[in-house]
Amino acid sequence: LVFSDHFPSGRYAHAAALVDYRQSLPTSATVAGPAISQDAGGGLIVAAAGSVSEVTLYARDVRGQLVYRSGDNFKVRLVPRMDGKQPFVGAAVEQQGHVADQGDGTYRVQFTPVVEGSYSLEITDSRGNHIQNSPMRVLAEPGPSITAMCVVTGGGLYRAVCGALAHFSMDTRDGFGNRAQPAEENIKVTLSGPRVDGVKLSVPVSKKRNASDGTWTCAYTTALAGLYKLQILLNGRNVQGSPFFIISEPAALCIERSNCVGEALAGRWHVGNPAKFVITSRDEFGNKLRSGGAEFVVRVMTYMRDGSSQPEVRGKVVDKGDGAYHVTYTPESVGVVALTVNCKEPQGDGTVKYKAVMGSPFELEMNPDYMMPEMCSCTGHGCEGQLVAGDPTEFKILAKDRFGNRLITGGDKFKVEIAGPHGKTIYPEVIDNDDHSGTYTVRYTPVYQGRHELLITATEENPTVKTKHRKARIQHGDPIFVNCIASETLARCCTAVGDGIIGITVARKPATFLVVARDRFGNARPVGGDVFAVEMYAGWPVPIEVTDMGDGTYLVEYTAGDEEDFHGPTSYTISVTLNGDHICGSPFNHTVVPLMTSAPTTEAIDVPSLLTAGEAAEFIIIAKDSDGNVCTRGLDNFRLEFSGLVGRPEDFDSVWGDIKDLKDGKYMVRMVAELSSYYKVLLRITLDGEDIKGSPFTVTVIPSGLFNVGFWNSTFRMVDERAVSKCHLAGLGIEGAVAGERAEFNIVTKQSEGEDIPGHLFAVELRGPEYLTGTVEGPFDGTVYNATYCATVAGVYTVTIKVGRFALPGCPFQVTVRPDATDPSQCKVSGDGTHSCREGEEARFVLRTRDMHGNPSFHPYDVILVTIKGGGRVGRGKNAHFQATEFFGRVRNEGDGSYVVTYVPPFEGAFSMKVEHSVTENGPYTQVAGSPFQLKCDVSAKRKAAQDLAAKNLHYVIDRDKERVEGARLAMRNTTAAAAAQVPQTIVTVQPAAFQDQTKRKTGLAALFGNRRTVARPVINEITTSPTTNSVPPPLAIPQHEDREDAAIFDVPGSLASPPRATNNGIMVLAKSPDKTNRSNEMAPRPVKTGLFGMGFWAPPVVDKVMLDPISGDDHPEMYLAESNQ
């Protein structure tokens, strides 16, 4: 109305609105849609569970005309019906629908049933008035089947019995649990089983739908026991739990299908061996049962080869509980065995029936046991009789079992070796006769005479014993021997042996040889009877006698050399024939010679007893045989051997000789002595190692020329040799002497009155380590002379006593001058062990004993004592202290006047070693030359190497502490004037109370001597001086270096005077403890070789050695400071 004035057309629109403005009537509303069908009861809506169903509601007025306006409030409810098919138990009672106003008088009505069943669809307005045909009937059908909601049940899913029908059921449902009804072709069930011939077994499965509840029932039947795989597919996908694995078990026992297996059923067995086989129980399909409980009976009947039978034997059956039954029985007789295997089967009337298993009864041939070597034997001429060389022979081997039964088959392995004489072995062929008697033929031909041993071994092929392939000799290992004799004699094989035909025969001596009769194989004939013809001639015949010894040998005897035509060695021809044929080697050439030279009868003529040095002497050897006849053939092997009796070795070596064969049985000997002196040698003449008659001979060598025989004395007097020969020597001086002592002996003569010789005409000469002469005084009582000599050099001397040119009887002779008693002052000591050593390492030196004249002495009563005393610092840290010790060296006597001394010092330090000598163990002892020896014991090589390595790192400490040292030096310079007086010694006192604990670092001296524990660090706080004048300078203030851990740093004023000890300038550093002012006795100062004190920290005076005292808690060992001018 408002817009009508302005818009003329507006009234037309208003008029239209007035015409359509009608009120709808709910009872007149209708619904329509494709889901609605008509049935006997009115409208029917068929819906799928879980799917949205939709209808259209048309609003109408009282006249039933459509109303095109919206705004009506319709409600939709889905209510279960009490008639018809009921919803699934547990479903909701009712469901609310959804109404959507389309704005044009129509409404879209939607609802979704989720449970299968019959429902009423109520459509009302806001006041509860139903529309036309409301309520409407709704039938909810199941949705499509879902594999996750399918349920498969039944025993057939897990276990089946062969031959029995196995079942299982399948309930198909949709996504809301409603039982669905899929098409049969959408359900696929497969069952696959064990492999048969490499192909998996497939078993058909039947399926059937139950009309009552809509489930599926499946069934199958297996025939082969084992594991099966069941797969159920719905719409191509596995249902819940698929695939299933089913165990198919065997059916009940089927006796007819049960079988027996084992070697004992192979058709042949051996008596005495336990026969074993296994009964396998099976079901009707041939499956092996997995449990026992059946009662099997095994009967064994043996039928002998002669038609008789043995009593029935029951086999032992053992139920193993797994469907197998082990059967054992032991056959005792050879023949045919009938083996019956039955099983008890109870009948319904209480009786028992026996049924035979598959293949029963079994028939076996029971043969003898396997061949046993020890029971086998042999028979025949080749192993029992006497054989003839060259004749073939044979024997048989009889194979037997362990019970002695002859085997009836061959195939056994025999090996035959025939050991003959001379180490010869025959390997004959063994032939298997294969005659069902177990015999083997052995053929061979012996060719050597003597006993042959038959070594027959067999290989036992018995699989029932552990020693399979065992080898042993037959007949219980008893040796089998046969004897072989030679065949007929053959001349060309006969031999002759003996000295009478081989080598050389001595003339006029009976000679013999043997002719040995042999066959064609060279075997000696054991019997005689052959006629051999023997001839011997050398231009003339020699009588020969041949004797048949009856053992196949013939003795031939002859004597050659007695013939008138025999003149020296002669060659003879010896012919030996048999039936006109020469034996082997005939004719022979044989030499007959005179007798051989005999050493006991051979003589040496004119052997000189006195030989002048430098002049050759000759004599003759006459060769003779054992009968004393002179041998004229020569060629004898005479030898000359010279050995010393009295004199020096070089004198003996100068005597030599030569032999010349004169070819007539005589030999010229020429010998000469080259050195001119007095000595005596022994000449031995041998023939083939045997002395000739009179050998050995004594030859005395004298000097040549008149100047060496005593003619030129101050008072020359011609002496008769006969007078000299009456002298002889006596006394201890001719046996030996002691160096430095005068030795005496007597010269006793048997001169007639008026024939005495003045003593000064005697000359006593001693040649040896030195040349010296003796003196002779006398005569006393007219017949005795007193001779003396004195030697100071020990050794062997050759003594010659002569008068004029004649040496006294027994001269020359040897005397031994022994060393005098050991003189300690002359003993010599050598070796590094006399001045240096190392801790823990063995040191050694050698002591050589001498007498007062310097001769090496080695008396058994000498006693050497080595005593070592000294000390050094031991321990570490608070346990460090000076320790004194004493120990002894070990002395080993070398037996030649030298003694090896060894010792091991226990620790580093300084020691004094005394080397003493005595003649008794209880003393007194006297020190040898140079004793006592001062020893410096250094650290061990291992520690020394560590120190040398750490010393190279000291510069690091110096650089690190340079700033602190400069501060200390500056403070010290302020007090230089006060200390400028005479200060021979500077004392640095250390207060232990100021010590601080600090763990060492591996630098400087700490690195040199290890970081093993926390040590106390000294703090130097003052220096006091000991004056040489009346003025005493005040203490010097020293900066405290509390952070130092490896050394105490202090400075010495540059103007301090040098200490008065020129050889030991230095600073003494001593420590003080709370309870002791000065522990100088306990902590002796020690020189320091390496460290900060020698690195240029100190101003003049020159400090070349610093003595450090051990500080409690410091584990620094002894050190030495290198000399420095800074």
Side-chain angles (χ1 to χ4, degrees):
L1 293 179
V2 175
F3 292 101
S4 62
D5 295 336
H6 300 281
F7 298 98
S9 60
R11 57 181 174 268
Y12 296 100
H14 181 70
L18 292 176
V19 172
D20 195 43
Y21 190 76
R22 295 170 295 171
Q23 183 177 5
S24 65
L25 183 65
T27 57
S28 299
T30 61
V31 292
I36 302 175
S37 61
Q38 297 296 323
D39 60 356
L44 175 64
I45 300 176
V46 178
S51 300
V52 178
S53 298
E54 180 178 333
V55 295
T56 303
L57 186 149
Y58 295 91
R60 295 180 183 273
D61 57 12
V62 293
R63 296 189 301 263
Q65 298 297 318
L66 294 175
V67 178
Y68 296 99
R69 67 178 182 88
S70 61
D72 291 330
N73 186 12
F74 291 98
K75 294 182 181 180
V76 179
R77 287 194 314 163
L78 193 65
V79 180
R81 293 174 63 90
M82 295 297 102
D83 59 338
K85 187 177 180 181
Q86 300 299 320
F88 185 75
V89 177
V93 175
E94 64 180 43
Q95 291 179 252
Q96 298 294 328
H98 176 69
V99 179
D101 190 350
Q102 302 292 325
D104 57 354
T106 63
Y107 299 84
R108 185 170 64 248
V109 179
Q110 294 178 335
F111 58 92
T112 305
V114 296
V115 179
E116 175 190 9
S118 180
Y119 295 87
S120 294
L121 180 64
E122 297 179 355
I123 304 176
T124 61
D125 59 5
S126 58
R127 298 178 181 179
N129 299 316
H130 288 271
I131 69 171
Q132 188 176 1
N133 296 328
S134 177
M136 302 179 67
R137 186 163 164 261
V138 177
L139 179 61
E141 295 181 346
S145 299
I146 304 298
T147 57
M149 299 297 292
C150 292
V151 179
V152 184
T153 59
L157 294 175
Y158 309 103
R159 182 179 178 276
V161 177
C162 292
L165 193 64
H167 300 84
F168 65 91
S169 61
M170 180 173 62
D171 190 1
T172 57
R173 297 181 181 272
D174 62 7
F176 298 96
N178 302 306
R179 181 172 284 118
Q181 301 295 329
E184 183 176 354
E185 58 271 13
N186 293 334
I187 301 175
K188 184 178 180 181
V189 181
T190 59
L191 180 64
S192 59
R195 291 181 179 272
V196 177
D197 297 331
V199 180
K200 278 192 174 183
L201 181 66
S202 179
V203 179
V205 181
S206 63
K207 52 184 179 292
K208 180 180 180 182
R209 177 182 294 173
N210 299 322
S212 60
D213 56 4
T215 61
W216 295 83
T217 300
C218 301
Y220 63 90
T221 303
T222 61
L224 183 64
L227 182 65
Y228 287 79
K229 179 181 178 181
L230 177 65
Q231 190 170 24
I232 304 174
L233 301 178
L234 177 61
N235 299 323
R237 299 180 64 183
N238 281 303
V239 301
Q240 187 174 2
S242 177
F244 302 91
F245 292 94
I246 304 170
I247 298 177
S248 178
E249 297 182 352
L253 171 66
C254 179
I255 301 176
E256 293 83 354
R257 294 298 301 274
S258 299
N259 65 326
C260 302
V261 293
E263 291 184 355
L265 302 177
R268 176 184 175 186
W269 198 249
H270 306 277
V271 297
N273 292 319
K276 300 178 181 179
F277 63 93
V278 178
I279 302 173
T280 304
S281 57
R282 300 184 182 276
D283 61 9
E284 60 179 318
F285 303 100
N287 298 307
K288 179 185 174 182
L289 301 187
R290 295 175 181 157
S291 61
E295 196 171 342
F296 288 92
V297 178
V298 178
R299 295 183 176 89
V300 181
M301 286 293 296
T302 304
Y303 300 94
M304 309 298 292
R305 299 185 186 279
D306 56 3
S308 61
S309 62
Q310 295 292 329
E312 181 182 274
V313 177
R314 290 291 184 97
K316 181 181 179 182
V317 181
V318 178
D319 186 353
K320 305 303 289 186
D322 58 353
Y325 300 82
H326 289 196
V327 181
T328 305
Y329 70 95
T330 302
E332 299 178 353
S333 304
V334 176
V336 178
V337 173
L339 186 67
T340 303
V341 181
N342 295 326
C343 182
K344 287 184 179 181
E345 184 179 37
Q347 301 299 313
D349 55 358
T351 59
V352 176
K353 183 179 179 181
Y354 288 92
K355 285 186 177 181
V357 300
M358 183 187 301
S360 179
F362 303 93
E363 186 175 308
L364 293 87
E365 182 181 356
M366 201 57 59
N367 293 330
D369 196 4
Y370 289 95
M371 183 271 297
M372 186 174 186
E374 291 83 349
M375 299 301 295
C376 298
S377 61
C378 59
T379 181
H381 181 264
C383 64
E384 298 172 352
Q386 180 153 296
L387 312 180
V388 177
D391 293 348
T393 185
E394 66 178 33
F395 65 92
K396 289 186 178 181
I397 300 174
L398 306 180
K400 298 181 182 180
D401 63 9
R402 57 176 171 161
F403 303 103
N405 301 313
R406 289 273 301 275
L407 301 186
I408 59 175
T409 58
D412 293 309
K413 298 179 181 179
F414 288 93
K415 182 180 179 181
V416 180
E417 298 180 13
I418 303 175
H422 316 298
K424 304 296 182 179
T425 304
I426 303 173
Y427 298 94
E429 180 185 4
V430 181
I431 302 172
D432 187 350
N433 295 325
D434 197 17
D435 55 357
H436 303 288
S437 61
T439 62
Y440 301 81
T441 300
V442 180
R443 297 188 180 97
Y444 67 98
T445 301
V447 295
Y448 297 103
Q449 176 180 262
R451 190 173 71 166
H452 291 64
E453 182 179 5
L454 276 62
L455 305 175
I456 307 174
T457 58
T459 302
E460 183 179 10
E461 300 286 349
N462 190 348
T464 63
V465 297
K466 293 183 179 180
T467 56
K468 193 175 181 181
H469 308 298
R470 182 178 66 91
K471 295 182 179 180
R473 295 177 63 174
I474 69 171
Q475 296 188 178
H476 301 284
D478 295 337
I480 304 173
F481 296 101
V482 293
N483 189 45
C484 180
I485 61 175
S487 58
E488 296 181 356
T489 305
L490 184 62
R492 68 172 182 269
C493 295
C494 298
T495 57
V497 295
D499 293 339
I501 199 168
I502 299 174
I504 298 175
T505 301
V506 178
R508 298 184 294 275
K509 296 289 185 181
T512 61
F513 66 89
L514 280 178
V515 176
V516 181
R518 299 182 182 275
D519 63 6
R520 58 188 174 123
F521 301 105
N523 299 310
R525 292 272 296 165
V527 294
D530 296 317
V531 179
F532 288 92
V534 182
E535 297 179 354
M536 183 176 182
Y537 49 91
W540 58 86
V542 177
I544 289 181
E545 182 179 353
V546 180
T547 304
D548 186 351
M549 305 303 293
D551 58 356
T553 62
Y554 300 83
L555 179 64
V556 180
E557 299 175 291
Y558 66 90
T559 301
D562 286 337
E563 303 85 19
E564 295 180 359
D565 296 328
F566 182 82
H567 300 287
T570 303
S571 178
Y572 289 79
T573 299
I574 303 176
S575 175
V576 183
T577 59
L578 175 64
N579 299 327
D581 296 328
H582 285 278
I583 69 171
C584 182
S586 178
F588 302 93
N589 292 323
H590 185 69
T591 302
V592 179
V593 298
L595 283 175
M596 300 293 291
T597 303
S598 174
T601 59
T602 300
E603 297 179 348
I605 308 300
D606 297 331
V607 179
S609 60
L610 196 64
L611 178 63
T612 302
E615 299 178 6
E618 298 178 351
F619 61 93
I620 297 296
I621 299 175
I622 301 176
K624 297 182 179 181
D625 61 18
S626 58
D627 296 335
N629 301 317
V630 177
C631 296
T632 60
R633 65 183 180 87
L635 303 176
D636 292 313
N637 186 23
F638 289 102
R639 297 191 63 181
L640 302 179
E641 297 179 7
F642 295 94
S643 58
L645 287 178
V646 178
R648 300 171 300 174
E650 55 267 26
D651 294 334
F652 308 146
D653 295 340
S654 69
V655 183
W656 60 282
D658 195 10
I659 301 175
K660 181 179 181 181
D661 188 354
L662 300 180
K663 306 299 183 182
D664 59 355
K666 295 181 181 180
Y667 300 82
M668 178 180 289
V669 179
R670 180 175 295 170
M671 64 180 181
V672 66
E674 296 179 348
L675 291 183
S676 179
S677 180
Y678 282 96
Y679 48 96
K680 189 180 295 184
V681 296
L682 197 65
L683 171 61
R684 185 182 177 194
I685 306 174
T686 60
L687 174 62
D688 297 330
E690 185 178 3
D691 287 302
I692 69 171
K693 185 178 181 180
S695 177
F697 305 93
T698 301
V699 179
T700 302
V701 181
I702 61 175
S704 61
L706 300 178
F707 294 97
N708 294 327
V709 296
F711 281 172
W712 313 120
N713 291 333
S714 59
T715 56
F716 174 74
R717 174 181 175 181
M718 188 65 67
V719 180
D720 188 356
E721 184 178 1
R722 292 175 297 176
V724 175
S725 63
K726 297 180 181 180
C727 299
H728 67 274
L729 307 176
L732 298 176
I734 63 176
E735 298 177 359
V738 177
E741 296 183 4
R742 185 172 297 277
E744 299 182 357
F745 62 90
N746 295 327
I747 303 174
V748 182
T749 64
K750 298 180 181 179
Q751 307 293 340
S752 302
E753 187 176 353
E755 295 182 357
D756 57 324
I757 303 172
H760 64 273
L761 294 182
F762 287 91
V764 179
E765 298 179 356
L766 288 85
R767 288 181 172 86
E770 63 177 345
Y771 176 81
L772 56 95
T773 61
T775 60
V776 180
E777 298 177 354
F780 301 100
D781 298 333
T783 59
V784 178
Y785 297 84
N786 186 24
T788 60
Y789 63 91
C790 181
T792 58
V793 181
V796 179
Y797 290 81
T798 300
V799 183
T800 305
I801 306 171
K802 53 190 176 181
V803 179
R805 66 183 297 270
F806 304 110
L808 270 60
C811 291
F813 60 90
Q814 289 183 336
V815 296
T816 301
V817 178
R818 302 180 300 277
D820 200 358
T822 300
D823 185 358
S825 64
Q826 297 295 326
C827 295
K828 305 295 182 182
V829 178
S830 61
D832 294 338
T834 60
H835 54 82
S836 64
C837 56
R838 289 185 182 273
E839 61 171 332
E841 299 179 6
E842 184 180 81
R844 65 171 56 202
F845 62 89
V846 179
L847 170 66
R848 293 176 174 83
T849 54
R850 299 284 190 271
D851 64 5
M852 62 181 300
H853 305 289
N855 297 309
S857 61
F858 37 91
H859 302 295
Y861 49 77
D862 285 335
V863 179
I864 305 300
L865 178 64
V866 178
T867 307
I868 305 170
K869 296 182 180 180
R873 179 184 176 184
V874 297
R876 295 181 180 275
K878 296 181 180 180
N879 297 325
H881 63 279
F882 179 84
Q883 177 174 322
T885 185
E886 178 180 358
F887 58 95
F888 300 93
R890 295 189 296 272
V891 182
R892 184 177 75 247
N893 188 355
E894 297 298 311
D896 57 355
S898 63
Y899 297 82
V900 177
V901 181
T902 59
Y903 61 91
V904 179
F907 45 78
E908 176 191 9
F911 299 90
S912 177
M913 178 174 64
K914 290 197 303 183
V915 182
E916 300 173 293
H917 168 270
S918 177
V919 295
T920 62
E921 293 184 356
N922 297 327
Y925 287 90
T926 304
Q927 296 191 50
V928 302
S931 178
F933 302 93
Q934 302 304 317
L935 304 176
K936 177 62 182 70
C937 182
D938 294 332
V939 296
S940 63
K942 183 177 180 180
R943 289 185 57 196
K944 181 64 175 175
Q947 292 180 8
D948 292 343
L949 178 63
K952 297 179 181 180
N953 299 326
L954 290 181
H955 66 278
Y956 173 77
V957 180
I958 297 172
D959 294 340
R960 181 171 56 89
D961 296 328
K962 184 175 181 180
E963 295 180 0
R964 300 188 183 93
V965 173
E966 291 296 334
R969 181 179 291 114
L970 181 62
M972 294 295 293
R973 287 173 182 170
N974 297 331
T975 59
T976 301
Q982 301 86 347
V983 183
Q985 187 177 31
T986 300
I987 306 300
V988 180
T989 60
V990 181
Q991 299 297 333
F995 287 3
Q996 298 181 7
D997 291 340
Q998 179 174 329
T999 303
K1000 289 187 176 183
R1001 300 187 304 272
K1002 284 195 174 180
T1003 58
L1005 300 181
L1008 181 60
F1009 302 109
N1011 295 339
R1012 287 181 294 276
R1013 55 192 172 83
T1014 301
V1015 299
R1017 178 168 51 87
V1019 179
I1020 301 176
N1021 50 26
E1022 66 176 357
I1023 295 180
T1024 60
T1025 61
S1026 57
T1028 56
T1029 63
N1030 295 330
S1031 61
V1032 179
L1036 304 180
I1038 305 298
Q1040 295 185 358
H1041 298 277
E1042 297 182 355
D1043 59 342
R1044 289 305 306 272
E1045 58 172 309
D1046 46 9
I1049 305 298
F1050 59 92
D1051 207 343
V1052 177
S1055 60
L1056 291 179
S1058 299
R1061 293 176 292 176
T1063 59
N1064 190 18
N1065 299 333
I1067 300 174
M1068 185 68 68
V1069 182
L1070 300 178
K1072 292 183 180 180
S1073 62
D1075 55 342
K1076 294 184 180 180
T1077 303
N1078 187 348
R1079 297 186 297 163
S1080 59
N1081 293 333
E1082 299 180 7
M1083 300 180 293
R1086 293 174 294 149
V1088 178
K1089 190 174 183 179
T1090 302
L1092 304 179
F1093 299 102
M1095 305 305 295
F1097 285 169
W1098 318 122
V1102 176
V1103 178
D1104 60 356
K1105 187 174 293 185
V1106 177
M1107 308 297 290
L1108 278 185
D1109 184 76
I1111 300 175
S1112 176
D1114 191 0
D1115 63 350
H1116 296 174
E1118 184 175 273
M1119 301 177 294
Y1120 288 87
L1121 182 66
E1123 293 187 359
S1124 174
N1125 290 327
Q1126 298 181 357

